[in-house]
Amino acid sequence: MGAHISIPMYQRAVSQKYRMLAQKCLHCGKVNFPPKAVCKYCLTGSKFEHIQLSGRGKIYSHTIIAGGGAPPEFAAEASCKGSYPVVLVELEEGPKVIAQLVNPLDREISVGMPVTAVFRKIYEEEGVIRYGFKFMPAPVS
Amino acid sequence: MIKSVVSHGIYIPFLRITREEYINTLGSCNADIKEKAVMDIDEDVLTMAVEAARNASTEIDISQIGVLTLASATFPYAERVMTGTIIQALGLNKNILTSQHGNSTLAGTEAFLSALGLMEETEAKYALVIISDAPAAEASSDMDHGFGAAACAFVLAKAEPGLRFEGTYAYSDEVPGLRYRLPGDKGVRDIGVRSYSAMAHDDTMQASVQELFNKMHRTPGDYQHVVLHQTSQKTAGALAKKLGFSDGQIKIGLVYDQFGDTGSCSPFIGLCHVLENAGKGAKIMICSYSPGSGSHALSFDYDNQFPDSSKKLQYFLNHKKYISYIHYLKIKKVI
Ligand SMILES: [Zn+2]
């Protein structure tokens, strides 16, 4: 989620940002997320079918962004929360994605911890709200 | 045509602030909450709406949804299509009938009733109604103490068993000066005349409930559960008594003291709790209210219980984190 993606460019990616719509390579069967022009696994396939990711996965790696370390678009969030965790998540369907972790529990964030995607505001600029996914610890059933 | 609610979903923010925290920091708390739900800095009524709708539609073929109605008195934009945000976040068909309802806490029942009507205009099986609200006032105003946040969503179906809609009665009158918000203002205000506001509250809801009884040839005793709009635990309870309902009839649906005033969501969040506890064959009434003033009473027959939802109200009652008043002010962007 880099800084200053233009709004038209952001709009073209709403399906992937809002509900994790991914593409499955018709050549090798691997799931590409975010979508690619050519499959990043077989480097051959360029035909895909859309698939809806479950949003479920496990923490592969994690870090804490301290107040001063946040990019400008996250400054308001950082000043409210003090610091916030960012996680690299290995999704059930295979791809790994980076996003913020919300509602961290009192127990430590750890590798392998199950998480699930939630719909949140990512940041706001010129009154335009950019929505997208973050993760939260999966509910214990 | 018979129309029924066939599933429901809830979303309550993770963050809560307690009455004690208000008393410890401000010296008093104007609202009879135990605690209330608070949206985090990266939440708004649309993010809550999406989560509630996802919880409502886990067992539903969403390609069969032909109607989407969305309600909130506190949308993040004063002008803009926001059903499109929901359509993208859920992956609904883009050619469905939509409507947005705002401007007052009647928005929830308006969205529900509109969906029943719009269903007549489509061949599709389902309608999705989402009500999400987070009333706000200036932090310096006592009105803010009780203002909470919540969302709920309902899938309506034609000719399927569930919570069958039986009928409604609506009542509106001109009562100025109560809970209003001017363009550009972030919060609501009120002229603050308690007796005037209490009279409007009671008279408006009494008018819709009594007339619904008359229209449907019912008495208070015919209902197992009643959920009145809740702007305070005490006033909702007192009005129910005045209308002839017992504590037992209102107990399960009265959830104000846990989440606060959830605006247009208020009668619906109570309804969700009722649906998770009521038995088959129960008659249920809900009644919305908005200062200004208006009220809708709706009558239902619970002829088939819903499939078990993994995220019941109980989940949200347990799943929470308490914040300090300072943290609360940061979220409200006061400091
Ligand atoms: Zn491939």
Side-chain angles (χ1 to χ4, degrees):
Chain A
M1 217 58 69
H4 296 288
I5 303 165
S6 76
I7 288 171
M9 199 138 110
Y10 189 86
Q11 193 280 333
R12 283 198 293 275
V14 288
S15 304
Q16 74 187 51
K17 290 179 192 298
Y18 283 24
R19 65 173 193 275
M20 303 182 101
L21 193 69
Q23 50 179 204
K24 188 174 183 176
C25 174
L26 293 178
H27 184 75
C28 75
K30 288 257 169 67
V31 175
N32 285 255
F33 186 77
K36 297 268 184 286
V38 174
C39 174
K40 68 180 255 192
Y41 300 98
C42 65
L43 305 173
T44 314
S46 59
K47 290 207 169 77
F48 302 95
E49 62 172 341
H50 286 303
I51 68 153
Q52 174 65 59
L53 301 181
S54 67
R56 290 186 296 267
K58 285 184 170 151
I59 293 179
Y60 186 82
S61 179
H62 57 94
T63 188
I64 302 285
I65 306 294
E73 64 267 37
F74 298 128
E77 177 152 7
S79 92
C80 178
K81 292 181 175 173
S83 65
Y84 58 88
V86 168
V87 290
L88 177 60
V89 172
E90 182 168 18
L91 298 168
E92 265 182 4
E93 296 85 356
K96 293 191 189 78
V97 289
I98 291 179
Q100 285 185 38
L101 183 77
V102 299
N103 308 351
L105 303 168
D106 291 334
R107 63 186 155 93
E108 292 257 302
I109 300 165
S110 58
V111 170
M113 199 173 105
V115 292
T116 181
V118 290
F119 185 71
R120 292 285 174 126
K121 291 197 282 186
I122 306 300
Y123 61 92
E124 192 175 326
E125 210 173 49
E126 292 171 35
V128 178
I129 304 165
R130 313 276 184 113
Y131 294 101
F133 62 84
K134 296 185 180 182
F135 289 95
M136 69 165 201
V140 193
S141 49
Chain B
M1 182 190 291
I2 290 175
K3 290 167 201 147
S4 300
V5 178
V6 293
S7 82
H8 78 293
I10 305 169
Y11 180 78
I12 312 279
F14 186 57
L15 303 183
R16 311 293 159 86
I17 186 165
T18 62
R19 179 181 168 79
E20 266 84 68
E21 180 64 15
Y22 269 96
I23 292 169
N24 290 340
T25 10
L26 295 180
S28 68
C29 180
N30 184 47
D32 58 346
I33 49 168
K34 286 194 182 103
E35 56 193 59
K36 68 171 187 178
V38 181
M39 293 193 298
D40 208 338
I41 191 151
D42 59 355
E43 294 185 286
D44 63 19
V45 296
L46 291 182
T47 66
M48 294 200 296
V50 167
E51 294 297 325
R54 283 179 179 167
N55 290 335
S57 58
T58 47
E59 305 293 318
I60 298 287
D61 174 8
I62 59 166
S63 71
Q64 289 297 311
I65 293 174
V67 172
L68 168 65
T69 65
L70 177 63
S72 183
T74 52
F75 281 123
Y77 294 98
E79 177 171 343
R80 224 208 93 170
V81 168
M82 285 167 282
T83 46
T85 310
I86 307 292
I87 285 174
Q88 266 294 350
L90 296 179
L92 304 180
N93 294 326
K94 291 178 187 170
N95 63 346
I96 63 178
L97 293 165
T98 60
S99 66
Q100 297 179 179
H101 303 263
N103 305 92
S104 86
T105 56
L106 280 193
T109 42
E110 285 172 356
F112 192 97
L113 294 168
S114 296
L116 291 169
L118 290 172
M119 285 172 87
E120 303 285 345
E121 306 302 324
T122 166
E123 296 295 309
K125 224 162 122 184
Y126 300 124
L128 177 62
V129 181
I130 315 175
I131 306 129
S132 179
D133 222 342
E138 295 289 339
S140 57
S141 155
D142 279 1
M143 291 181 80
D144 183 64
H145 299 185
F147 285 169
C152 45
F154 301 91
V155 176
L156 276 50
K158 295 171 188 167
E160 275 187 35
L163 178 72
R164 186 167 56 81
F165 174 73
E166 293 187 310
T168 186
Y169 196 91
Y171 178 86
S172 306
D173 194 7
E174 170 67 346
V175 188
L178 303 171
R179 189 163 165 166
Y180 59 102
R181 180 157 58 96
L182 297 176
D185 278 3
K186 282 201 174 118
V188 291
R189 47 174 111 172
D190 190 288
I191 56 166
V193 182
R194 244 164 223 262
S195 53
Y196 174 62
S197 134
M199 194 168 73
H201 172 273
D202 286 12
D203 290 355
T204 311
M205 278 200 267
Q206 182 160 21
S208 65
V209 171
Q210 293 290 5
E211 290 307 319
L212 185 68
F213 285 157
N214 293 342
K215 181 178 162 184
M216 299 190 64
H217 310 290
R218 297 263 171 86
T219 64
D222 292 328
Y223 289 89
Q224 275 71 48
H225 301 280
V226 175
V227 190
L228 300 180
H229 195 93
Q230 295 154 29
T231 52
S232 132
Q233 192 86 354
K234 234 178 266 163
T235 54
L239 176 60
K241 219 160 263 175
K242 198 165 149 186
L243 294 174
F245 298 111
S246 68
D247 286 343
Q249 285 168 294
I250 64 162
K251 199 177 157 199
I252 296 174
L254 190 52
V255 294
Y256 170 88
D257 65 349
Q258 294 298 319
F259 308 123
D261 179 343
T262 57
S264 56
C265 212
S266 172
F268 291 99
I269 207 79
L271 175 64
C272 288
H273 201 216
V274 166
L275 295 177
E276 291 167 1
N277 291 279
K280 193 176 167 174
K283 294 252 186 295
I284 301 167
M285 178 191 283
I286 68 167
C287 179
S288 64
Y289 170 65
S290 181
S293 288
S295 175
H296 298 143
L298 280 71
S299 179
F300 297 98
D301 183 6
Y302 202 18
D303 60 14
N304 189 45
Q305 282 170 288
F306 294 175
D308 241 11
S309 141
S310 60
K311 278 192 174 172
K312 292 188 172 193
L313 198 73
Q314 197 59 45
Y315 167 85
F316 292 102
L317 283 168
N318 299 333
H319 196 75
K320 60 190 170 188
K321 179 187 164 186
Y322 293 110
I323 58 169
S324 66
Y325 189 68
I326 296 291
H327 189 156
Y328 179 73
L329 291 182
K330 279 185 175 179
I331 290 174
K332 275 183 82 79
K333 296 183 178 137
V334 176
I335 52 171

